[in-house]
């Protein structure tokens, strides 16, 4: 069963979200060499160190799901991006995928 806790979502929860047809923007915040090892189809690579500079590439009208190796970087980005949305009562969420990189192929 998929689980979503606050801004965190697990692999099953992400699969479920995608299967509902939700407008999801998958953003991988890992370094390029990590993305080369494994990634989720249709995800975009915006390394954490580049995120501030590339913030204009984010799609605030979509539910953004941040992806990293263990879930810590994605959680940090999720918290950072979710706060302004909560204050604005935005409907679209910012979620952090909570999983180990080896599970990325299960999405």
């Amino acid at each position: 069963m998929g689980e979503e806790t606050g801004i965190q979502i697990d692999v099953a929860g992400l699969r479920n979200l995608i299967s509902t047809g939700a407008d999801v923007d998958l953003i991988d915040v890992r370094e390029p060499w990590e993305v080369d090892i494994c990634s989720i189809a249709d995800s975009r690579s915006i390394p954490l160190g580049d995120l501030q500079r590339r913030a204009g590439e984010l799609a605030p009208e979509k539910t953004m799901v941040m992806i990293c190796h263990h879930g810590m970087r994605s959680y940090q980005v999720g918290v950072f991006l979710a706060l302004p949305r909560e204050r604005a009562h935005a409907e679209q969420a910012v979620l952090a995928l909570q999983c180990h990189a080896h599970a990325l192929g299960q999405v």
Side-chain angles (χ1 to χ4, degrees):
M1 180 83 166
E3 185 176 322
E4 186 178 324
T5 309
I7 67 163
Q8 293 183 312
I9 189 169
D10 64 11
V11 170
L14 179 56
R15 268 198 318 263
N16 183 51
L17 181 65
I18 292 170
S19 73
T20 67
D23 199 4
V24 178
D25 190 12
L26 302 171
I27 302 167
D28 199 321
V29 297
R30 298 175 298 152
E31 294 300 315
W33 66 268
E34 293 174 282
V35 174
D36 288 344
I37 294 170
C38 64
S39 63
I40 297 176
D42 299 322
S43 64
R44 304 187 292 136
S45 175
I46 303 179
L48 182 59
D50 295 344
L51 196 60
Q52 186 172 7
R53 180 177 53 81
R54 295 178 59 188
E57 296 176 35
L58 299 177
E61 70 281 0
K62 296 183 178 185
T63 296
M64 291 187 279
V65 178
M66 302 299 153
I67 303 161
C68 71
H69 187 88
H70 290 287
M72 287 306 301
R73 286 174 284 184
S74 62
Y75 180 78
Q76 291 170 337
V77 172
V79 168
F80 176 75
L81 293 175
L83 290 175
R85 286 178 177 222
E86 288 174 13
R87 288 188 198 119
H89 305 289
E91 291 184 28
Q92 280 67 31
V94 177
L95 301 170
L97 183 61
Q98 183 181 19
C99 74
H100 193 277
H102 72 276
L104 294 179
Q106 299 172 16
V107 172

